[in-house]
Amino acid sequence: MALSPAEARHLAVTAALPPGGLPGPAAVLEHLRIVQIDAISTLARAHHLTLATRIRGATTTAVDTALAQEPRPAAFDYPAHALSLVPVTDWPLWAFRRRAARRHPQYPEAALRATILQHIAHHGPSPLRALRRPGEAGGGWGWGPTKTAVEILGWAGELACTRRTGGGHRLFDLPDRCIPGHLLTDRATDDECQRTLLEHAGRVLAVATVDDLADYLRIHPQTVTRLLPTTPLVPATVGQWDKPAWAHPAALNPPSAPQPALFLGPFDNLLWHRPRARRLFTFTHLFEAYKPADRRTHGYYVCPLLADGRLIGRADLTRHDNALTVLRVSFEDHAGPDALSHFARACHHMATLTTQTRTVIADDAAKPALVTALRTALTEHVAS
């Protein structure tokens, strides 16, 4: 199968962002299979942005409420890509990683493991702070003994997180209290697990290289190469790509409905693998929040602008005084004549998504002439 770069890009965008959206968080989780979590909430939580972007008329607040109020948990936290939300129904498919976690050199020694599990058995779902021993340091980036043990027990499937506190802190519980019993199995072999997950990843990516698929699941490229011939994916070539590709047959005839312009959260699935973003969009995605301010090229929480199936620019976004605030903005050379109207539409969408009442562009967000043009485009979009 031969595809042009434009065809591959169209397939990738429509597979990652189904035209018309999906009906709710559970449907998005079922579609993407993995939704990355991150602690930064300057605009919204990463997983709330990813989910809400794909739900018709959703807001990040509504997504948070829906996830919290599900009578049965829709997802569990797991290091599937990075730490991510994974549909509860996929618990059996991560048996290969649970088995590997039990062989981890830092797997907790018996006494600490027993202390943690007994506390949770007695007290119920517990945040990490309730599990730390007296005098043990906590918080920040450091992993003390208890955090290390709890995380690895989560990887190993001896703890599970399906709920959070009101402040967003994970609540760890015993799996048999929060995961349906028929799913609590490690019966599938490593190859069976990874073969099914590869099919899922291939459907979401539509057309992908071995490295793209490996990155989506954080498994070894050699494993991907070995298992691909046993999956439904078919070999493909994409013009100007320097590596062979594989395509999922179910993703090859997407609907032709137009995609509205929108900002993607910096942890959106479409942006995970930087080489793939460059290959598809001729776009270099950077996440610079953890860099010192004077070393950032584009800003703190930078969201790429998707329009007409291309990434045409980016903006450093935050919330302030009930306003979506654009701190910095830039466009790619290929942005085209409609870039300003695309920007205005995307700002309106993101403001609505994050329940902000207006959009403000900082005076130093770009050169003065561009700031003036962007404000005019926003005014015209609101008036229309």
Side-chain angles (χ1 to χ4, degrees):
M1 174 185 302
L3 298 168
S4 70
E7 289 171 328
R9 185 168 59 248
H10 175 66
L11 292 175
V13 171
T14 52
L17 292 143
L22 295 165
V28 180
L29 285 162
E30 184 71 17
H31 179 74
L32 296 177
R33 317 308 291 216
I34 304 171
V35 175
Q36 189 170 344
I37 298 168
D38 187 79
I40 296 175
S41 58
T42 184
L43 186 59
R45 296 286 186 185
H47 59 290
H48 294 157
L49 281 175
T50 299
L51 292 167
T53 297
R54 291 162 171 81
I55 300 170
R56 295 186 292 269
T59 67
T60 53
T61 302
V63 164
D64 186 28
T65 300
L67 289 173
Q69 294 182 350
E70 286 278 355
R72 296 180 179 176
F76 65 102
D77 289 20
Y78 199 69
H81 178 74
L83 183 63
S84 305
L85 289 183
V86 176
V88 166
T89 52
D90 278 1
W91 179 278
L93 298 179
W94 294 95
F96 77 99
R97 190 154 291 166
R98 290 194 291 273
R99 284 189 284 265
R102 293 171 199 140
R103 301 188 296 269
H104 195 283
Q106 290 182 285
Y107 183 81
E109 48 88 19
L112 178 56
R113 175 176 173 272
T115 297
I116 292 169
L117 296 180
Q118 288 169 10
H119 177 99
I120 292 173
H122 180 71
H123 295 282
S126 302
L128 182 60
R129 65 176 179 270
L131 300 170
R132 290 193 178 98
R133 292 174 288 192
E136 183 179 346
W141 291 100
W143 280 38
T146 300
K147 178 173 173 59
T148 300
V150 168
E151 296 290 352
I152 294 176
L153 288 172
W155 303 347
E158 295 178 61
L159 291 177
C161 171
T162 61
R163 300 291 190 191
R164 285 174 166 71
T165 67
H169 298 288
R170 289 178 290 166
L171 289 170
F172 295 94
D173 201 357
L174 304 179
D176 59 7
R177 296 200 301 212
C178 59
I179 304 295
H182 69 283
L183 298 173
L184 284 174
T185 173
D186 283 1
R187 189 165 51 244
T189 67
D190 287 9
D191 279 4
E192 289 170 341
C193 292
Q194 291 172 106
R195 183 182 298 116
T196 302
L197 289 169
L198 272 173
E199 180 181 352
H200 291 169
R203 186 185 292 264
V204 176
L205 296 175
V207 56
T209 67
V210 165
D211 288 346
D212 297 338
L213 292 160
D215 178 79
Y216 201 88
L217 301 170
R218 295 290 168 89
I219 61 178
H220 200 285
Q222 290 181 355
T223 302
V224 176
T225 299
R226 179 172 59 83
L227 291 177
L228 270 171
T230 69
T231 72
L233 278 69
V234 297
T237 58
V238 181
Q240 300 178 23
W241 285 22
D242 60 358
K243 295 181 179 180
W246 292 75
H248 197 297
L252 293 178
N253 295 294
S256 58
Q259 289 273 7
L262 52 83
F263 285 112
L264 298 175
F267 297 97
D268 193 276
N269 297 48
L270 192 59
L271 306 170
W272 280 354
H273 195 39
R274 306 297 191 257
R276 175 176 170 81
R278 287 193 293 270
R279 201 183 316 118
L280 285 170
F281 302 105
T282 318
F283 184 93
T284 299
H285 176 51
L286 300 173
F287 185 68
E288 304 177 288
Y290 301 117
K291 292 182 180 179
D294 60 357
R295 292 179 55 194
R296 295 175 192 144
T297 302
H298 298 289
Y300 180 79
Y301 204 79
V302 177
C303 297
L305 173 56
L306 179 71
D308 292 334
R310 299 175 302 146
L311 294 177
I312 66 167
R314 68 194 91 207
D316 184 12
L317 302 176
T318 189
R319 296 170 294 167
H320 180 68
D321 194 23
N322 292 321
L324 175 72
T325 302
V326 182
L327 301 174
R328 195 180 306 179
V329 61
S330 64
F331 292 98
E332 299 292 290
D333 291 340
H334 61 260
D338 296 325
L340 296 182
S341 60
H342 287 320
F343 169 84
R345 180 182 292 272
C347 283
H348 178 75
H349 176 265
M350 183 59 80
T352 301
L353 198 76
T354 56
T355 65
Q356 306 306 296
T357 59
R358 57 203 171 96
T359 298
V360 172
I361 302 176
D363 291 341
D364 58 351
K367 293 181 179 179
L370 179 55
V371 169
T372 299
L374 292 171
R375 287 171 174 166
T376 299
L378 278 172
T379 301
E380 291 175 350
H381 178 76
V382 172
S384 65

